[in-house]
Amino acid sequence: MVARVIPVNTFDLVIFGGTGDLARRKILPGLFRRFLSGQMPADSRVIGAARSDLNSAGYRDMVRAAIDEFGGDEKAETKKLDAFLAQLEYVPVDAKGDGGWKELAALSRTDVVRAFYFSVAPSLFGDLAERLHTHGIAGPKSRIVVEKPFGRDLDSAKELNATLAQHFDESQIYRIDHYLGKETVQNLMAVRFGNILFEPLWNNHYVDHIQITVAETVSVGGRGAYYDRSGAMRDMVQNHLMQLLCLIAMEPPSKFGADEVRDEKLKVIRALQQVEPHHIVRGQYDAGKDTQSYREDAENPRSFTESFIAMRCEIANWRWSGVPFYLRTGKMLKARSSEITVVFKELGHSIFEDDDTSHQNTLSIRLQPNEGMDLQVTIKEPGPGGMRLVDVPLDMTFAEALGDTDIEVTDAYERLIMDVIRGNQTLFMRGDEVEAAWGWTDPIIQGWEARNDVPKIYEPGSSGPEDAMMLLHRENRKWRNIKA
Ligand code: NAP
């Protein structure tokens, strides 16, 4: 199947922090892929802006090297890369000073879509927003894209929202959570709301529990000092896992529109119960044969920050009352794997007397790797021996099922950037959503800080601390195996 490319209007995208890690690793290679698929009109421009003293030619060299390093297979297409680079400009700009703003204003066009990507530290968001206005570079239809972390608690998130609101309307602000740009995450909504099969079962009458796992094999090495100030709860749960939880649990919106979807997500966050301390397990990875411990990576021998967290949450509404949602995420685990699994209840009564095993249908949505879905159904075990039953997967890997689409190569970032250009906010977090998420997270963090909770040590390459297993075992359930 050939992927359909929806054209976009001519745009100017200014990337503040255009020389930084995120721009080189994700944003610019992503834009190049969109260019290759014909989604970057010839008169569109990408303008890098940072303090580094470069001219446009020097910037193009930097971007060429970045695409070479991070761009994947498409790096070979030299002629096309030249054509893409020709659409790039660079202006040295200091977010905190006056340098460069007049030059940036001189480049500004008012008759095209204008977007400003704040790929810089959040402490610079206010400076950028203010100077974009005072220099008349942003207009009422301009869009700004802001990166995570959006605050580190409710107060700082409110402050950040208030700062941006001084210069931009909510309809102009695109808060990125790249998890929402993943193909499978959007598929979650297609599966739920595009099929009649699942919706009648999607409630506490038929669902036993739901598991959300985001497991990583990487350590925090390299950004240990930064990570140590945040931890898994702030870095992963408050944003990514919470977004997945919202999409799996929300009521059907009246249409797939930005506010309709975000209103429903917000209701889920507001209905989340506070989590009991004994329903939270925090962990820190130990040293391995050739790897450092979390505390060594964090350069903090007394650190109490978690590199792993598992928790049992509940949503207090009619649909989900009594259904546990188990969330788990961590570093240095046995495989890189993200999935959401809906575990349905056992049958009330089995008519098959030869079969004494228990069976539960499960629907798993794999976010990475091998984006796809897997529905476990129960069938007769083939051969003689009576009516014994066995569970088998109805597995669908999207890349196999749909053939030669651009699923594998389309990264979440490029999809989301194109949504910004189209003016579609559906897959971006609204200000009140972010604040509600911090409003739920803050007391949990304050709780373990007040208790001086010490994270449990776990083996690198394992599934996390033993206590995380117990979280489910003591309720006669078990986590899905973390496997690549
Ligand atoms: P980075 O590598 O440190 O890059 C920061 C960028 O900001 C550089 O281009 C830097 O260029 C520019 N900058 C710094 N001070 C400036 C100033 N006063 N005026 C103008 N430009 C300035 O950081 P990053 O990793 O790209 O991260 C950028 C943002 O994305 C952060 O908010 C981060 O939390 C978020 N993020 C990053 C990743 C990732 O994978 N890297 C993932 C998720 C979110 P000059 O030094 O030349 O000015």
Side-chain angles (χ1 to χ4, degrees), residues 274-295:
Q274 265 308 304
V275 183
E276 301 285 334
H278 66 282
H279 285 153
I280 304 169
V281 177
R282 297 163 68 238
Q284 273 181 351
Y285 57 81
D286 205 352
K289 208 162 100 315
D290 307 308
T291 53
Q292 302 201 110
S293 69
Y294 172 77
R295 289 183 174 189

Side-chain angles (χ1 to χ4, degrees), residues 119-307:
S119 182
V120 294
S123 56
L124 297 178
F125 290 178
D127 295 301
L128 289 177
E130 190 186 322
R131 283 170 175 75
L132 280 174
H133 262 268
T134 45
H135 292 274
I137 302 171
K141 288 195 178 156
S142 304
R143 293 151 202 174
I144 57 168
V145 184
V146 294
E147 264 298 335
K148 85 164 202 181
F150 200 86
R152 56 171 280 111
D153 52 24
L154 178 57
D155 287 346
S156 53
K158 276 185 175 166
E159 203 178 306
L160 217 45
N161 273 335
T163 305
L164 296 180
Q166 284 174 16
H167 303 288
F168 293 93
D169 184 72
E170 182 63 35
S171 63
Q172 298 177 276
I173 305 172
Y174 292 70
R175 294 176 195 78
I176 282 222
D177 183 329
H178 72 273
Y179 263 62
L180 291 180
K182 288 180 184 287
E183 186 74 19
T184 333
V185 172
Q186 292 165 61
N187 236 317
L188 186 58
M189 286 183 276
V191 167
R192 277 198 65 190
F193 304 126
N195 294 287
I196 201 156
L197 273 185
F198 299 113
E199 192 50 28
L201 307 178
W202 216 261
N203 55 53
N204 53 8
H205 297 293
Y206 298 100
V207 174
D208 179 73
H209 72 277
I210 290 179
Q211 300 187 13
I212 302 178
T213 295
V214 177
E216 297 179 285
T217 49
V218 291
S219 69
V220 302
R223 59 176 199 126
Y226 161 81
Y227 187 92
D228 203 43
R229 289 193 298 278
S230 85
M233 184 72 166
R234 288 192 171 96
D235 194 50
M236 297 296 290
V237 177
Q238 185 274 343
N239 39 55
H240 305 321
L241 275 82
M242 184 89 97
Q243 288 296 319
L244 300 180
L245 174 78
C246 286
L247 295 179
I248 199 114
M250 71 183 184
E251 294 300 313
S254 58
K255 62 175 186 171
F256 191 54
D259 277 331
E260 287 81 356
V261 170
R262 297 184 301 176
D263 284 348
E264 296 306 335
K265 280 166 42 193
L266 181 60
K267 284 185 209 161
V268 174
I269 303 175
R270 288 188 174 150
L272 270 170
Q273 298 283 78
Q274 265 308 304
V275 183
E276 301 285 334
H278 66 282
H279 285 153
I280 304 169
V281 177
R282 297 163 68 238
Q284 273 181 351
Y285 57 81
D286 205 352
K289 208 162 100 315
D290 307 308
T291 53
Q292 302 201 110
S293 69
Y294 172 77
R295 289 183 174 189
E296 286 166 317
D297 278 340
E299 294 168 16
N300 180 0
R302 297 177 51 76
S303 172
F304 283 178
T305 304
E306 74 286 354
S307 61

Side-chain angles (χ1 to χ4, degrees), residues 17-23 25 49-52 93-96 119-122 124 147-149 226 413:
T19 55
D21 180 69
L22 183 69
R25 195 184 288 276
R51 289 168 309 178
S52 300
V93 171
D94 184 358
K96 286 188 162 300
S119 182
V120 294
L124 297 178
E147 264 298 335
K148 85 164 202 181
Y226 161 81
Y413 274 96

